[in-house]
Structure formats: C-alpha cells, structure tokens
Amino acid sequence: MSETTMRPSADLQALDRLVGTWAVTGGVEGTVRYEWMPGGFFLLQHVELTQFGQQVTGMEVIGNLRPFGEPVGEDVVSRFYDATGNTFDYVYELADDTLTIWGGAKGGPAYYRGTFSPDGTTVTGEWVYPGGGGYSSTMTRV
C-alpha cells in the first residue's frame, strides 16, 4: 500500500467515541480532552487531573506504530508524557462498548476497563493494579 492510500486502522478509528472533553471523577478528578491529529492517524489526549493529591498534567499520543521501514503494528498503542518527565506506555482495545487500556503490554496485570453508556455520554470503570489496588473512575462528556 502506498503512502497516499494508507488509512488509519479500524481499531484506531473506533476510538473516535472518545473525541471531546470529559470530566473525570472517582480516584482521579479533573478533565481530559481527546482530539484527532490532522490526518487521523493519531488521537491526542490532553490531561489535567489530580490523583492522590498530586497534579497530573500531560499529553498522550495514541495510534498504530509504523516504525521506519517496517509494517504498521496491529495494536493501538500510546505513550503518555507528563509535566514531571514521566513516560508511560499503554495499549488500547475497544470491543463493543467496553474500553480496555492496558498499562504496558496487552494482557498485563495493570489495566483500565470501562463501559460506555448507551448514549455515549459516560464511561464508567476502574483501574486495576498488580497486587491489588486501583480505583474507580467515571468520565462524563461535557
């Protein structure tokens, strides 16, 4: 497939449901905003949250990897960059109304699983951490 006929993957395009601004409540509080980068190959998330009393400000780039000279990766992956210099990698998976975000590798012990409401205005779920812990989280479209 030539560069001019490349299309974003169907799995990435399915995340269009996230586009917009969301108020986040539960174990974290604040706002996240999703928007498409021109071309539609990357979804950008802008984060302004408070978690465990700490401000979390950052940006996430979500898409399929296409390293130089290699084929496009199957998984929808991301890297999150925060204002304190941290980077975190994730894998996104949307099946019907269930969004799973794996922390690190797909199938790993750290993940978020949430469900879209029938009208698409809320996503309710929880983060699960290895060894226990995690927190509930609800995103409401604003």
Side-chain angles (χ1 to χ4, degrees):
M1 188 176 282
S2 76
E3 294 292 319
T4 58
T5 59
M6 286 289 299
R7 300 274 187 266
S9 73
D11 288 341
L12 177 61
Q13 290 176 347
L15 296 180
D16 190 61
R17 296 172 78 174
L18 292 170
V19 171
T21 302
W22 300 81
V24 181
T25 58
V28 298
E29 303 283 330
T31 304
V32 296
R33 180 174 50 89
Y34 292 89
E35 66 179 338
W36 288 109
M37 186 173 157
F41 286 95
F42 297 98
L43 184 62
L44 306 177
Q45 179 185 198
H46 304 273
V47 173
E48 295 285 339
L49 298 171
T50 301
Q51 181 178 28
F52 308 123
Q54 300 294 315
Q55 184 68 27
V56 179
T57 302
M59 186 183 87
E60 184 176 18
V61 179
I62 305 162
N64 297 90
L65 293 179
R66 185 169 44 152
F68 183 73
E70 296 181 28
V72 175
E74 282 188 38
D75 289 335
V76 176
V77 299
S78 74
R79 176 159 285 169
F80 176 77
Y81 304 87
D82 76 15
T84 61
N86 293 307
T87 60
F88 301 108
D89 293 332
Y90 299 95
V91 178
Y92 278 68
E93 186 175 59
L94 181 60
D96 299 317
D97 290 331
T98 301
L99 174 65
T100 303
I101 305 170
W102 303 98
K106 186 174 181 176
Y111 62 90
Y112 168 84
R113 185 160 291 130
T115 304
F116 281 88
S117 63
D119 64 3
T121 60
T122 62
V123 183
T124 303
E126 68 179 303
W127 278 98
V128 174
Y129 297 143
Y135 58 88
S136 296
S137 177
T138 299
M139 295 194 324
T140 304
R141 191 179 294 279
V142 294

